[in-house]
Amino acid sequence: MEGVALKFPPLKLFNPNFPTSPATTVTFSSSSSSSSCSASLPVSATAGKEADSALGTLSLGHLTRPDFPILHQEVNGSKLVYLDNAATSQKPHQVLKALQSYYAGYNSNVHRGIHYLSAKATDQYELARKKVADFINAEESQEIVFTRNATEAINLVAYSWGISNLKPGDEVLLTVAEHHSAIVPWQLVAQRTGAVLRFVDLDENEVPEVEKLRESISRKTKLVVVHHVSNVLASFLPIKHIARWVHDVGGKILVDACQSVPHIVVDVQELDADFLVASSHKMCGPTGIGFLYAKSDILSAMPPFLGGGEMISDVFLDHSTYADPPSRFEAGTPAIGEAIGLGAAIDYLQGIGMQKIHDYETELANYLYESLSTIPNVRIYGPRPSEKVKRAALCSFNVEDVHPTDLATLLDQQHGVAIRSGHHCAQPLHRYLGVNASARASLHFYNTKDDVDDFINALSETVSFLNSFK
């Protein structure tokens, strides 16, 4: 089949001087002592239909959008509406400035260097680790290991803890809704150790069947690997309860928190998680860095994952001894600038307040679900929101007889609306749902109801256009 060459118009700023009108400054002060700054947010006094004359009516999305320069541009001749936040979030000025400050002012390798630049880089790198620890309420910063991303963090647990602790007949329990990054490493480890992977299906509300998961936990269960928030179904799992069930039989729990840490208050001590992973780029930080949280006693007993510099204590020709965690698991030069940028992102999020973000996004989630439900022949995956059932601010969906990639392509090219289409790294879940792919719109706190309205209007026009060929 011949390919089709698409010519895209040049990218240009929607409003390069945003804001152009007199600005009001709103400061969100952090209640956490770990936050070294607050988010001082310039607010356009005349933001079109998005703004009211009274400051109190401005949503969190209106207040924070000016901090994100990428949002103020045209794409394919239309104002950009970015609704692909479950794949990656955008970065505020504060994070961009932190990266620039490091590379322009004190770029140097960390640890062991005695000169000024190295000492400052080391201080800021380790301060970022402390910020992560405080952000998720880890008991100590040594429980935080920096990795390339959450995928590497899961692989670290799989190949260090998993290879050392799993034996033939041991069970690793997951759900069919897990991300590939939470499935594939354990498939590889199971092949090497003889451990068995077991999967829990969805219930009638298209949420992993929690009671079935509880019944599946036995003395054979050495590890439960589950998401906190599904990147497809928008559902939440009761991690605290699951942790108690698996601990009662002597097992452990690994939590994929990539879709929760950026959006809600996450307290690893309250959850009693043994392992928890997340990615910087989904929480307004740079790409190329994520982190693993692990309880200190578990981490101390784990062997190295990668060998090389930085992770050693002493090296001899016939053997080596290893550093204490977290250095034991951070071989080679780390992502220094990225860690510092992640620290700046945490400062920014804490300056707003994670509960404030969660409350606002819950409102957006309901508005997105109800608005999308008005599209004829739409199928939204996951639970219907109610007073008892909360959804994350994303919707994976299909429209009858319309391929999701056709929707995503035309939304982008004709309307400047960025959503995602495909299997969202969840092929087993899509097979369970009886589809090959879905479209997904996902929001963050800098989105507004106006973004949702623009998306729904564009989607309605796109569906009508595609149906006109039938």
Side-chain angles (χ1 to χ4, degrees), residues 401-412 419 421 462 465-466:
D401 297 329
V402 177
H403 197 284
T405 298
D406 292 339
L407 285 178
T409 300
L410 290 178
L411 284 171
D412 173 62
I419 68 168
S421 64
T462 300
F465 173 74
L466 291 170

Side-chain angles (χ1 to χ4, degrees), residues 70-86:
I70 198 171
L71 299 178
H72 310 293
Q73 60 177 289
E74 281 189 0
V75 173
N76 296 328
S78 300
K79 181 185 72 170
L80 171 63
V81 179
Y82 184 78
L83 303 180
D84 194 22
N85 293 282

Side-chain angles (χ1 to χ4, degrees), residues 66-192:
D67 275 342
F68 295 82
I70 198 171
L71 299 178
H72 310 293
Q73 60 177 289
E74 281 189 0
V75 173
N76 296 328
S78 300
K79 181 185 72 170
L80 171 63
V81 179
Y82 184 78
L83 303 180
D84 194 22
N85 293 282
T88 198
S89 63
Q90 299 303 341
K91 323 306 174 192
H93 286 294
Q94 290 84 340
V95 171
L96 303 178
K97 182 179 179 180
L99 288 168
Q100 182 183 29
S101 295
Y102 165 68
Y103 284 111
Y106 56 101
N107 174 47
S108 182
N109 214 328
V110 293
H111 305 136
R112 299 187 309 279
I114 61 172
H115 58 81
Y116 171 81
L117 296 182
S118 180
K120 183 171 183 180
T122 299
D123 288 345
Q124 293 301 308
Y125 179 76
E126 293 302 332
L127 178 60
R129 193 190 309 277
K130 184 179 186 306
K131 289 177 181 179
V132 172
D134 291 343
F135 190 61
I136 62 172
N137 195 34
E139 191 171 354
E140 54 187 39
S141 60
Q142 284 68 34
E143 294 177 321
I144 304 300
V145 178
F146 284 130
T147 58
R148 284 189 304 127
N149 42 45
T151 299
E152 184 176 82
I154 295 173
N155 275 272
L156 192 164
V157 177
Y159 284 95
S160 179
W161 182 89
I163 295 293
S164 301
N165 288 275
L166 296 177
K167 60 184 184 299
D170 287 344
E171 294 181 354
V172 178
L173 185 61
L174 310 94
T175 81
V176 296
E178 300 311 317
H179 192 282
H180 294 166
S181 296
I183 297 176
V184 177
W186 298 106
Q187 290 176 335
L188 296 171
V189 168
Q191 291 170 6
R192 293 179 59 174

Side-chain angles (χ1 to χ4, degrees), residues 36 60 71 77 82 105 137 221 232 245 267 290 311 320 323 424 444:
S36 61
L60 182 60
L71 299 178
Y82 184 78
N137 195 34
T221 307
V232 176
W245 300 335
D267 184 329
M311 50 74 66
S320 297
H424 317 307
H444 215 336

Side-chain angles (χ1 to χ4, degrees), residues 16-35:
N17 298 314
F18 188 91
T20 57
S21 55
T24 304
T25 297
V26 179
T27 301
F28 299 115
S29 59
S30 171
S31 59
S32 170
S33 61
S34 66
S35 179

Side-chain angles (χ1 to χ4, degrees), residues 19 21-27 40-46 52-56 58 62-63 66:
S21 55
T24 304
T25 297
V26 179
T27 301
S40 183
L41 309 174
V43 179
S44 172
T46 56
D52 272 65
S53 57
L55 182 61
L58 291 174
H62 300 136
L63 296 174

Side-chain angles (χ1 to χ4, degrees), residues 381 397-398 403-405 421-424 430-431 434-439:
Y381 302 105
F397 65 96
N398 272 306
H403 197 284
T405 298
S421 64
H423 51 65
H424 317 307
H430 279 80
R431 291 193 190 98
V435 295
N436 292 323
S438 63

